[in-house]
Amino acid sequence: MFELPDDVLQIQQLARDFARKEILPGAQARDHSHTFPAALVTQLAEMGFMGMVVPEQYGGAGMSTLAYVVALEEICYADASVGVTMSVNNSLVCWPILAHGTEAQKQTWLPDLASGRKLGCYALTEPDAGSDAGAQRTKAVLDGDAYVLNGTKIWITNAPYAQVCVGYANLAPEERHKGVCAFIIDASSRGFNVGKLEEKLGITSSATSELSFENLRVPRDNLLGAERRGFGIAMATLDGGRIGIAAQALGIAQRAFDLAVAHARQRMAFGKPIGANQAIQWMIADMATRIESARLLTWRAAVFKDGADATRASHYCSMAKLAASETANFCADKALQIHGGYGYSKEYEVERLFRDARITTLYEGTSEIQRIVISRSYLG
Ligand code: CAA
């Protein structure tokens, strides 16, 4: 597949127009003031972008994963902080409810999440369960008609603004991942405590915080999937999440590339544009080649995810994330180099792109974790 279908091209154009007109102009200011883009999230929801693959019967836009990643790249071209807010709601919250929820759960939770009336967060990571996600220590105990949750989650994107949380807790921590359960949690419940906002290197206008669950009662009806099957849900959810982060990384990379080309054309040194030098030309060529490669992998993973054999998508999702996130860092670094001292200044957008790119090789699985997933699919 080398060309996007017409319906996806239309979504791409819609996202591009909105991103460049409405999101890009304020991105620097939001980054500097660390302002959460609440109004933009509302506008994205009105466009159907907060529940893109959720079928219309549950209030979503009913689009393909390919349309989702293409739109997300455009949003992240303008501002990766807005993009991750959208990505978490789509990939990590709507998707697991859609794929693993009961009919009643889908009807209860998806319309609000897809319409933007509610925002979602995803609580898996713990102080001692980052890359080793199976080491979940947040405890779940069944008590009558509810599970009682106690524990701490960290680095939770969207948490300070979320009304819904897809969260994980363990019935038997000594059995590691085999005791993990997935829950849909109402964030207004007593015992759902949001900690301080994290100060981050990049994506500063997205909101990240710790969560603590203190005797948090989650109704039995809110168990997502079967008891003790939560880890598989977490992993399958992250497959889709990783294509979302690949799209985010592509948006950052493409913006860095476009700024680098513009600067290389107009910046004069030694009587000619710096782009007339091979040192710059090679950087531009390498950036372009890596972006195109990573984009094709991302589209392929998205098509696989919607295909009949979606279980085979895992390693393609990891390949897409690995390639795109490393590309984002490469391109942001080269764009900064091409800008010289200007690139190091907060006045220039490449400085923000350089910081925003850095998270993409870390969250939703580091590059090292992606390599584990990829190599296991070949070596077992
Ligand atoms: N889909 C469904 N099930 C899967 C799966 C997948 N993609 N991958 C694994 N599983 C299942 C396995 O089949 C196995 O099931 P059984 O017990 O029934 O046999 C079970 O999960 C355990 O699998 P593994 O033995 O492979 O598990 P592991 O302990 O070796 O861990 C890992 C594998 C890939 C390293 C995993 O721990 C991992 O992905 N770690 C990274 C965690 C991560 O990405 N965290 C991101 C946090 S969220 C975030 O970052 C959001 C944000 O801020 C924006």
Side-chain angles (χ1 to χ4, degrees):
M1 192 252 324
F2 296 101
E3 298 292 337
L4 293 174
D6 283 348
D7 60 327
V8 177
L9 282 171
Q10 281 172 15
I11 294 298
Q12 184 182 46
Q13 196 58 51
L14 179 69
R16 184 170 294 173
D17 291 346
F18 179 76
R20 296 186 190 192
K21 192 159 158 261
E22 305 291 339
I23 302 179
L24 190 56
Q28 288 291 92
R30 285 190 302 275
D31 171 62
H32 295 168
S33 61
H34 300 193
T35 304
F36 184 74
L40 290 170
V41 172
T42 304
Q43 285 175 279
L44 286 172
E46 284 162 4
M47 292 164 66
F49 281 18
M50 293 305 279
M52 287 189 72
V53 305
V54 174
E56 289 173 19
Q57 70 187 105
Y58 303 117
M63 293 181 210
S64 63
T65 302
L66 182 61
Y68 164 55
V69 297
V70 165
L72 187 55
E73 178 185 333
E74 294 300 329
I75 302 302
C76 295
Y77 180 93
D79 187 345
S81 288
V82 176
V84 73
T85 309
M86 168 179 157
S87 164
V88 165
N89 199 72
N90 275 276
S91 301
L92 301 187
V93 183
C94 288
W95 188 85
I97 296 174
L98 182 64
H100 298 277
T102 61
E103 186 54 35
Q105 287 172 338
K106 291 181 210 180
Q107 285 182 14
T108 303
W109 300 97
L110 288 176
D112 282 346
L113 285 164
S115 65
R117 284 189 294 274
K118 290 185 177 170
L119 184 67
C121 69
Y122 180 84
L124 178 70
T125 303
E126 300 182 358
D128 294 311
S131 288
D132 184 6
Q136 296 284 303
R137 286 198 194 151
T138 293
K139 190 85 177 72
V141 175
L142 185 58
D143 177 31
D145 60 354
Y147 292 89
V148 181
L149 273 46
N150 279 286
T152 302
K153 301 286 178 181
I154 56 169
W155 312 124
I156 308 304
T157 307
N158 289 354
Y161 295 91
Q163 289 84 18
V164 180
C165 172
V166 169
Y168 297 84
N170 208 332
L171 282 171
E174 66 286 359
E175 293 178 46
R176 288 184 44 93
H177 77 270
K178 292 197 181 296
V180 173
C181 304
F183 298 98
I184 309 170
I185 305 169
D186 180 340
S188 67
S189 310
R190 192 186 310 163
F192 185 97
N193 304 322
V194 180
K196 73 168 175 52
L197 207 58
E198 296 292 348
E199 287 285 327
K200 309 187 293 286
L201 173 72
I203 54 165
T204 59
S205 64
S206 70
T208 312
S209 68
E210 184 178 291
L211 286 177
S212 73
F213 301 156
E214 273 182 78
N215 294 321
L216 168 66
R217 289 186 74 82
V218 181
R220 266 183 110 150
D221 284 349
N222 293 17
L223 178 72
L224 183 59
E227 212 177 56
R228 290 174 174 261
R229 302 306 295 172
F231 191 73
I233 294 174
M235 292 296 107
T237 300
L238 283 170
D239 285 344
R242 287 166 184 165
I243 327 181
I245 301 306
Q248 180 192 40
L250 282 172
I252 297 169
Q254 186 66 53
R255 181 66 180 156
F257 177 79
D258 289 353
L259 291 170
V261 169
H263 194 76
R265 281 198 177 124
Q266 62 88 33
R267 175 70 177 165
M268 301 294 288
F270 306 106
K272 58 186 179 185
I274 59 170
N277 299 303
Q278 276 196 344
I280 303 294
Q281 290 163 3
W282 288 18
M283 286 193 240
I284 297 293
D286 287 346
M287 290 162 84
T289 305
R290 290 190 192 208
I291 291 171
E292 286 296 330
S293 316
R295 186 175 285 127
L296 286 172
L297 267 174
T298 304
W299 289 1
R300 180 172 169 80
V303 170
F304 248 106
K305 188 86 172 67
D306 285 350
D309 194 5
T311 51
R312 285 182 56 221
S314 273
H315 71 286
Y316 284 113
C317 299
S318 286
M319 282 182 187
K321 189 198 183 254
L322 176 63
S325 61
E326 298 288 343
T327 293
N329 281 276
F330 178 84
C331 291
D333 182 58
K334 295 298 178 225
L336 198 153
Q337 189 68 21
I338 289 169
H339 277 73
Y342 293 107
Y344 200 64
S345 162
K346 282 196 178 290
E347 298 270 311
Y348 282 72
E349 215 181 315
V350 288
E351 186 269 348
R352 171 171 60 84
L353 297 172
F354 183 80
R355 288 183 289 104
D356 284 356
R358 196 63 194 81
I359 187 63
T360 63
T361 63
L362 301 173
Y363 62 12
E364 302 206 24
T366 59
S367 289
E368 292 70 29
I369 289 294
Q370 308 313 324
R371 289 185 173 96
I372 288 175
V373 174
I374 297 162
S375 62
R376 278 185 185 176
S377 79
Y378 296 101
L379 296 170

